[in-house]
């Protein structure tokens, strides 16, 4: 079977998404399933939709277009502020986009008019993490600007935390978002359908039992795909943590020294620490490298440890066992490793579950 390959268990992804959808429903919060780490995979998108997510979100219009072309039928939100150079594509293919810039919003209005469509806007507010977002003091003016433009609907407001500076969602910043929603509604005489509180890092806040206020949407990617909480990479109870794994193939396995010989400089990827001398070890080499995955985000099976990686080789200590060329090792992934693998053209994808057998073959005609 082709390697390296991601093995993607659609049933486990669906289980994770359904579990989160059901638990957040009890708090009055719906889930936007985020597909950006999957390159807009239509199979994964359909698994999310089967689980009951209210819509799909992706940061790249190319991924949204790929899902549309594959016939995925769902409300789709572009969750990154559109590039001016892409506004026509955005109004054509996305129902909603997240916005922070007055010029971009004006261009979306013009593009929507030209296409005789209407486009919905969620304004993103900066609440401490210092990635995208309008400062709270500037929000009301941008709401007024958005409402003044033809062919645009103001769907709501949102925020994003824990991505740039690691600021955790808590009742302080979430209450601030709810307060902003209320004040926009009373100042401008509108009602906001969407108050989107954040991403997988919001789950701890959402399950803490505190008042969720006006927040009625979370955008979830990592927690659905990997079952982990981005705040500390901890596994979330009740979710699968191996819905997506990476399988790589052994191309060499031999007993060699644990320490390099000769004068040590940098490698192509920067300085590397000199390992402690443990005598000879079995060094096993896999045909996978930094072009395919972030080696720091790999979780090897018990008894195996990652020693290092270059563009195309991953060297592991296989715990005293010589592995034959052609044998395979399965690794767990963190989010960074997942994104790299999903976007590498060298990594195959094998979908299982969702009506397929263990070899990934469809066992009944699906949607
Ligand atoms: C990536 C992203 C998400 C999803 O984040 P996860 O941590 O994967 O759940 C949500 N919102 C925005 C704006 C994003 O860019």
């Amino acid at each position: 079977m082709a390697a390296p390959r991601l093995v993607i268990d659609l049933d486990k992804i669906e289980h994770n998404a359904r579990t989160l959808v059901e638990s957040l429903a009890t708090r009055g919060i719906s889930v936007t399933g985020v597909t950006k780490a999957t390159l807009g995979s239509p199979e994964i998108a359909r698994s999310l939709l089967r689980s009951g997510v209210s819509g799909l979100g992706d940061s790249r219009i190319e991924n949204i277009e790929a899902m549309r072309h594959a016939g995925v039928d769902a409300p789709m939100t572009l969750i990154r502020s559109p590039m001016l150079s892409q506004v026509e594509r955005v109004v054509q293919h996305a129902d909603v986009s997240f916005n922070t810039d007055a010029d971009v919003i004006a261009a979306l209005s013009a593009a929507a008019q030209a296409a005789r469509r209407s486009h919905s806007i969620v304004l993103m507010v900066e609440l401490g993490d210092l990635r995208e977002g309008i400062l709270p003091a500037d929000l009301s003016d941008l709401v007024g600007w958005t409402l003044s433009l033809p062919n645009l609907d103001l769907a709501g407001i949102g925020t994003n935390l824990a991505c740039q500076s690691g600021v955790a969602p808590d009742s302080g910043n979430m209450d601030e978002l709810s307060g902003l929603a209320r004040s926009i509604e009373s100042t401008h005489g509108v009602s906001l359908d969407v108050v989107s509180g954040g991403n997988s890092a919001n789950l701890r806040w959402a399950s803490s039992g505190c008042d969720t206020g006006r927040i009625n949407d979370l955008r979830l990617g990592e927690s659905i795909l990997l079952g982990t909480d981005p705040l500390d990479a901890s596994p979330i109870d009740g979710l699968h943590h191996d819905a997506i794994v990476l399988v790589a193939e052994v191309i060499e396995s031999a007993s060699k020294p644990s320490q390099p010989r000769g004068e040590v400089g940098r490698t192509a990827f920067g300085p590397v620490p000199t390992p402690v001398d443990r005598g000879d070890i079995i060094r096993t080499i896999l045909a996978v490298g930094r072009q395919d995955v972030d080696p720091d985000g790999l979780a090897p099976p018990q008894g195996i440890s990652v020693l290092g990686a270059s563009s195309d080789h991953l060297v592991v200590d296989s715990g005293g066992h010589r592995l034959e060329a052609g044998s395979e090792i399965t690794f767990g992934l963190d989010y960074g490793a997942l994104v790299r693998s999903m976007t590498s053209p060298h990594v195959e994808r094998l979908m299982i579950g969702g009506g397929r057998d263990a070899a990934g073959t469809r066992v009944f005609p699906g949607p």
Side-chain angles (χ1 to χ4, degrees):
M1 208 174 268
R5 65 178 177 278
L6 287 162
V7 181
I8 301 167
D9 188 322
L10 297 171
D11 291 339
K12 289 183 178 175
I13 290 173
E14 186 178 332
H15 165 89
N16 286 359
R18 177 171 288 114
T19 305
L20 292 164
V21 165
E22 287 173 357
S23 80
L24 287 168
T26 66
R27 320 279 345 258
I29 295 175
S30 62
V31 173
T32 297
V34 174
T35 48
K36 70 183 184 209
T38 76
L39 264 187
S41 155
E43 291 92 345
I44 295 176
R46 289 194 179 98
S47 300
L48 300 182
L49 292 169
R50 279 195 295 274
S51 77
V53 300
S54 59
L56 300 173
D58 203 296
S59 47
R60 312 228 171 202
I61 193 64
E62 296 81 356
N63 293 347
I64 288 177
E65 289 169 350
M67 292 188 285
R68 290 273 190 235
H69 290 147
V72 175
D73 183 20
M76 292 196 199
T77 300
L78 182 68
I79 61 173
R80 182 175 71 182
S81 184
M83 290 186 233
L84 263 186
S85 55
Q86 294 186 331
V87 290
E88 287 81 10
R89 293 165 69 179
V90 174
V91 301
Q92 189 69 33
H93 297 288
D95 304 285
V96 185
S97 61
F98 284 6
N99 282 271
T100 57
D101 184 277
D103 293 337
V104 172
I105 294 169
L108 286 167
S109 168
Q113 273 182 284
R116 298 176 193 281
R117 300 174 78 96
S118 94
H119 183 73
S120 292
I121 301 278
V122 169
L123 293 175
M124 294 297 277
V125 190
E126 152 54 33
L127 292 180
D129 198 52
L130 294 175
R131 201 180 71 178
E132 77 275 35
I134 306 144
L135 291 172
D138 300 332
L139 180 62
S140 186
D141 283 353
L142 202 60
V143 167
W145 171 244
T146 304
L147 293 172
S148 74
L149 295 170
N151 297 58
L152 294 184
D153 283 328
L154 179 66
I157 63 173
T159 195
N160 193 68
L161 298 167
C163 276
Q164 175 71 23
S165 312
V167 171
D170 58 21
S171 50
N173 43 46
M174 289 300 104
D175 290 352
E176 193 178 346
L177 188 65
S178 287
L180 287 167
R182 291 188 196 99
S183 95
I184 292 301
E185 289 182 332
S186 63
T187 309
H188 294 272
V190 293
S191 91
L192 300 178
D193 291 339
V194 180
V195 182
S196 187
N199 54 48
S200 296
N202 284 63
L203 289 170
R204 212 171 291 181
W205 159 81
S207 62
S208 70
C210 63
D211 182 12
T212 51
R214 285 294 316 276
I215 285 128
N216 63 5
D217 172 75
L218 290 180
R219 314 168 304 267
L220 303 181
E222 174 171 343
S223 52
I224 293 176
L225 299 174
L226 298 178
T228 45
D229 180 337
L231 284 178
D232 58 2
S234 61
I236 299 171
D237 280 350
L239 302 187
H240 294 290
H241 310 113
D242 59 353
I244 308 179
V245 294
L246 181 74
V247 179
E249 185 175 325
V250 172
I251 53 172
E252 181 194 307
S253 186
S255 179
K256 293 185 197 174
S258 46
Q259 263 196 331
R261 185 160 63 90
E263 202 174 317
V264 170
R266 290 165 45 99
T267 72
F269 295 97
V272 283
T274 303
V276 292
D277 190 2
R278 296 182 285 134
D280 283 2
I281 56 173
I282 307 287
R283 302 178 76 93
T284 294
I285 302 181
L286 296 135
V288 65
R290 290 182 188 272
Q291 294 196 74
D292 314 291
V293 71
D294 174 4
D296 299 331
L298 287 174
Q302 208 161 15
I304 294 182
S305 53
V306 173
L307 298 174
S310 55
S311 316
D312 313 293
H313 296 78
L314 179 75
V315 184
V316 303
D317 173 350
S318 47
H321 301 287
R322 225 195 120 252
L323 304 175
E324 275 169 45
S327 54
E328 294 182 332
I329 299 181
T330 299
F331 296 88
L333 301 162
D334 74 5
Y335 191 73
L338 174 71
V339 169
R340 183 92 60 89
S341 291
M342 279 280 190
T343 51
S344 169
H346 305 292
V347 179
E348 293 284 324
R349 296 172 180 207
L350 174 70
M351 305 273 177
I352 61 173
R356 290 167 176 76
D357 66 16
T361 310
R362 294 205 73 113
V363 292
F364 62 81

